[in-house]
Amino acid sequence: MKLLVCGGAGFIGSNFVRIRTRDHGDEVVVLDKLTYAGRRENLEDLDVRLIVGGIEDPDAVAEAAEGAGAIVNFAAETHVDRSISEPEAFITTHGMGTYVLLEEARRRGLRYVQVSTDEVYGSIEEGSFTEQSPLNPSSPYSASKAGADLLVASYRHTYGLEALICRGSNNYGPYQYPEKLIPLMVLNALHDDKLPVYGDGRQVRNWIYVEDFARGIGTVLERGEPGEVYNVGGPDEAPNLDVVRKIIEYTGKDESLIEYVTDRPGHDRRYSLASDKVCGLGWEAQVRFAEGLERTVDWYRENTAWWEPIRSGEYRAYYERQYGRALG
Ligand code: NAD
Ligand code: TYD
């Protein structure tokens, strides 16, 4: 298959591209703006063409889509905390960017997969969200992602575009930018920096190993029904404090590193996805959380060359703004 992968230099996108080129022999063009989260290094072991540009730029999108059979869109601003302090880029990329991609897919008659998130459903105290659950997003991140999903659905409904939506739960694994809970806690623990737990730390997330999610998107791309939404959730849920305690154990550190800090405004209490529909296409999660987390800690321990430039660059300033303290 010839694929245009937007946002393919980021965390999940680069894992997806690695699996598709190595295991499926796909030919891939990546279109990526290389924001702070997009990194050339994530693709350097792979035989792909990288075009640097925004999905909101019709010329860049037209060039990148030349010869493609399908578009898979990962491109997004992805950090809830940044969406609270600086929402503008979220609206541009998820709104205008998704629109420009949909227009290109429509012009060329391409299959289109939108990578979305469980956060569009909002928070759930008990049970799990199905694809029929109403959208009830809480943050500028999830609201703009929900807006993008609705636009994708409208292109199916109105123009008959071969469009599908894949909603994942919280991903973790190699190449994740350390602003997110798991890599942040791993790198802080390795440096003996404090581990900032928001609020009471009892918020629950449904964790999926990134390669499982990437394979789920591949399943939807190959076998999904146009017009349908597919939830792709992980096999395990855990409160944040349990996750942090496991990281402390795997890094051989002490619980005294934990520091309770001011909660995130509008913080969703729990996410949980029912994934029966995508399982019906033959997908299942392969990596349980305990195993995947240990693998992830090992990856960060062994790949200092990947994270050292991040931890000494833009991320330091971001960390000070967000947490009101410097990294050690
Ligand atoms: P990420 O922040 O690591 O990567 C995002 C990528 O998009 C980066 O390479 C960035 O440079 C690129 N990008 C941003 N704006 C762009 C633009 N305007 N044009 C072109 N490229 C642009 O994010 P991720 O965690 O890999 O998430 C990928 C997708 O998966 C997102 O759509 C996200 O909403 C979704 N998702 C993420 C998670 C998660 O836990 N991380 C869970 C479910 C769904
Ligand atoms: P995050 O990785 O930002 O993902 P999301 O908000 O999209 O689920 O956060 C995961 C959980 O961890 C969430 O409940 C917020 C919490 N969290 C902390 O307690 N401390 C932190 O420093 C971060 C980044 C997150």
Side-chain angles (χ1 to χ4, degrees):
M1 219 187 291
K2 275 186 98 173
L3 296 179
L4 167 57
V5 179
C6 302
F11 163 49
I12 306 172
S14 62
N15 277 284
F16 175 79
V17 172
R18 187 164 292 104
I19 288 174
R20 295 305 304 187
T21 51
R22 286 195 181 158
D23 303 348
H24 299 262
D26 287 344
E27 203 178 307
V28 171
V29 172
V30 168
L31 174 64
D32 197 295
K33 203 173 179 174
L34 297 184
T35 66
Y36 73 92
R39 304 180 60 77
R40 282 179 193 278
E41 306 89 286
N42 294 358
L43 299 170
E44 72 188 1
D45 57 322
L46 303 175
D47 182 20
V48 294
R49 177 169 171 227
L50 169 65
I51 297 176
V52 180
I55 57 168
E56 66 279 14
D57 174 353
D59 295 336
V61 169
E63 182 196 344
E66 198 59 56
I71 299 178
V72 184
N73 180 30
F74 293 88
E77 293 290 336
T78 60
H79 193 37
V80 172
D81 292 320
R82 292 195 199 235
S83 87
I84 293 168
S85 51
E86 288 171 274
E88 190 174 326
F90 291 73
I91 316 300
T92 307
T93 293
H94 306 168
M96 190 54 80
T98 303
Y99 156 70
V100 170
L101 289 179
L102 288 167
E103 278 296 311
E104 191 64 31
R106 175 159 89 100
R107 201 166 67 84
R108 294 179 186 266
L110 302 179
R111 190 165 169 97
Y112 180 94
V113 176
Q114 176 76 357
V115 179
S116 184
T117 163
D118 56 1
E119 302 192 28
V120 298
Y121 298 119
S123 188
I124 188 166
E125 287 291 324
E126 281 176 16
S128 301
F129 290 119
T130 71
E131 291 82 359
Q132 272 74 49
S133 300
L135 302 188
N136 187 23
S138 311
S139 68
Y141 164 66
S142 52
S144 51
K145 289 292 290 185
D149 284 10
L150 293 176
L151 202 56
V152 172
S154 80
Y155 269 62
R156 171 68 192 166
H157 188 79
T158 308
Y159 306 112
L161 187 78
E162 209 181 302
L164 304 98
I165 297 171
C166 195
R167 296 188 177 132
S169 62
N170 279 66
N171 278 238
Y172 68 102
Y175 302 98
Q176 188 169 31
Y177 196 82
E179 65 195 352
K180 305 289 178 4
L181 178 76
I182 288 179
L184 183 150
M185 296 297 174
V186 172
L187 293 187
N188 279 21
L190 291 176
H191 290 83
D192 292 314
D193 278 323
K194 288 286 186 191
L195 308 179
V197 171
Y198 294 164
D200 63 5
R202 300 262 160 229
Q203 303 83 3
V204 171
R205 295 295 182 261
N206 179 188
W207 293 101
I208 185 165
Y209 192 65
V210 64
E211 289 175 6
D212 277 338
F213 187 43
R215 284 188 309 97
I217 296 163
T219 300
V220 170
L221 171 69
E222 287 174 2
R223 299 199 283 281
E225 195 62 46
E228 294 295 311
V229 174
Y230 294 89
N231 289 344
V232 182
D236 297 290
E237 296 179 13
N240 294 338
L241 255 185
D242 290 7
V243 176
V244 173
R245 290 200 174 111
K246 280 210 173 80
I247 290 170
I248 289 171
E249 183 192 323
Y250 294 156
T251 52
K253 301 294 175 176
D254 192 85
E255 294 221 353
S256 58
L257 281 182
I258 292 176
E259 182 174 61
Y260 291 91
V261 300
T262 310
D263 207 353
R264 171 187 285 172
H267 197 167
D268 284 336
R269 203 68 190 161
R270 176 170 173 265
Y271 299 137
S272 178
L273 279 184
S275 309
D276 311 65
K277 192 169 163 185
V278 73
C279 290
L281 297 178
W283 174 87
E284 64 175 356
Q286 292 177 353
V287 182
R288 297 298 300 265
F289 187 56
E291 182 203 334
L293 186 59
E294 206 163 355
R295 253 199 238 176
T296 303
V297 171
D298 289 345
W299 188 86
Y300 281 90
R301 220 200 302 264
E302 287 158 14
N303 287 275
T304 46
W306 184 83
W307 53 256
E308 260 170 359
I310 297 177
R311 231 181 172 252
S312 56
E314 183 269 358
Y315 181 66
R316 285 195 93 76
Y318 162 75
Y319 195 92
E320 274 193 60
R321 278 200 311 278
Q322 177 66 20
Y323 296 94
R325 67 151 72 219
L327 282 170

